Amino acid sequence: DAGVIQSPRHEVTEMGQEVTLRCKPISGHDYLFWYRQTMMRGLELLIYFNNNVPIDDSGMPEDRFSAKMPNASFSTLKIQPSEPRDSAVYFCASSLSGRYNEQFFGPGTRLTVL
Amino acid sequence: KNQVEQSPQSLIILEGKNCTLQCNYTVSPFSNLRWYKQDTGRGPVSLTIMTFSENTKSNGRYTATLDADTKQSSLHITASQLSDSASYICVVRGGTNAGKSTFGDGTTLTVKP
């Protein structure tokens, strides 16, 4: 298995532009997580899905952020409009339900908003 | 509020030396505790998982301990190598939201030759 796949790996955009980050989870996994990581705040859970349904989006910072999971093999995280403070590394992770469900992380997308 | 606190924030050791990283948590009810290693520029990778009934678990040169009574865990690294340089993140699963985990801020370990 190729693991969790994220694209793009790097994104540089200007303030006010729309940004879309993409994630393909490991086949068969039924949980998908979106995280944001910065030096100041560490890893923060933004939202997670179970069987394509958003379960907890309390970590989404504001209405500019939205996430979708139209099917079991694809998810997007959209920021519109983007702001410089959104600059961070965004990780997608997936796991299989169960008592010991290990989260497998993708390589991350480094977002820079100028 | 569910919290996970790690110490020290950063640590520098010489190659071949041992070190211990600490993790204290307030997550309740407790399900499990996992240590992740995150190399620079990469996503975190699980090292070991501890459940309520486990006191110690080893994975090569990594040994994790758990004291569920005091809500403390440690990660001991033996005979450190340059490749151990990374951030080590303690993650506790539990609380009222079954699918959610609480992440610590991590300890940045630097191993010098």
Side-chain angles (χ1 to χ4, degrees):
Chain A
D1 199 318
V4 175
I5 299 173
Q6 290 186 246
S7 65
R9 292 294 310 276
H10 302 273
E11 176 81 29
V12 180
T13 190
E14 293 187 344
M15 182 174 63
Q17 296 298 305
E18 177 180 295
V19 175
T20 299
L21 312 181
R22 298 173 177 79
C23 175
K24 176 179 170 56
I26 293 174
S27 177
H29 283 190
D30 55 350
Y31 279 88
L32 184 139
F33 305 80
W34 281 102
Y35 293 90
R36 177 173 67 177
Q37 187 175 40
T38 62
M39 288 292 291
M40 292 296 293
R41 302 171 69 95
L43 262 172
E44 301 175 278
L45 176 65
L46 300 177
I47 184 172
Y48 76 92
F49 297 82
N50 180 216
N51 292 321
N52 312 338
V53 176
I55 303 300
D56 185 345
D57 64 355
S58 59
M60 297 286 262
E62 48 199 274
D63 292 344
R64 298 184 298 106
F65 287 68
S66 63
K68 294 181 180 180
M69 192 165 185
N71 56 63
S73 59
F74 184 66
S75 177
T76 60
L77 177 67
K78 185 177 293 186
I79 307 172
Q80 166 63 17
S82 58
E83 297 182 2
R85 59 195 171 116
D86 301 331
S87 298
V89 180
Y90 290 82
F91 287 103
C92 174
S94 70
S95 70
L96 190 59
S97 59
R99 187 180 177 196
Y100 306 120
N101 56 346
E102 175 183 351
Q103 293 184 30
F104 292 84
F105 285 75
T109 294
R110 180 173 295 278
L111 173 64
T112 303
V113 183
L114 303 175
Chain B
K1 182 181 177 181
N2 292 330
Q3 287 186 313
V4 175
E5 295 184 353
Q6 293 187 241
S7 62
Q9 187 175 36
S10 61
L11 182 63
I12 301 174
I13 61 173
L14 292 176
E15 186 178 14
K17 298 296 185 183
N18 304 335
C19 67
T20 300
L21 314 180
Q22 300 290 344
C23 174
N24 297 338
Y25 62 92
T26 61
V27 177
S28 181
F30 174 84
S31 178
N32 60 60
L33 182 150
R34 194 181 291 272
W35 284 92
Y36 283 87
K37 178 187 179 188
Q38 184 177 19
D39 293 315
T40 301
R42 311 191 79 159
V45 175
S46 178
L47 288 174
T48 183
I49 181 172
M50 306 289 291
T51 59
F52 186 86
S53 59
E54 296 173 308
N55 298 119
T56 184
K57 183 177 287 186
S58 292
N59 177 5
R61 295 180 296 102
Y62 300 100
T63 299
T65 66
L66 175 67
D67 186 333
D69 291 330
T70 62
K71 298 186 177 180
Q72 296 179 324
S73 176
S74 66
L75 180 68
H76 186 75
I77 304 174
T78 305
S80 61
Q81 300 176 359
L82 299 180
S83 59
D84 294 331
S85 296
S87 179
Y88 292 83
I89 304 171
C90 175
V91 182
V92 181
R93 185 172 180 230
T96 56
N97 190 330
K100 198 168 182 177
S101 296
T102 304
F103 284 69
D105 288 338
T107 292
T108 300
L109 173 66
T110 303
V111 181
K112 293 195 169 183

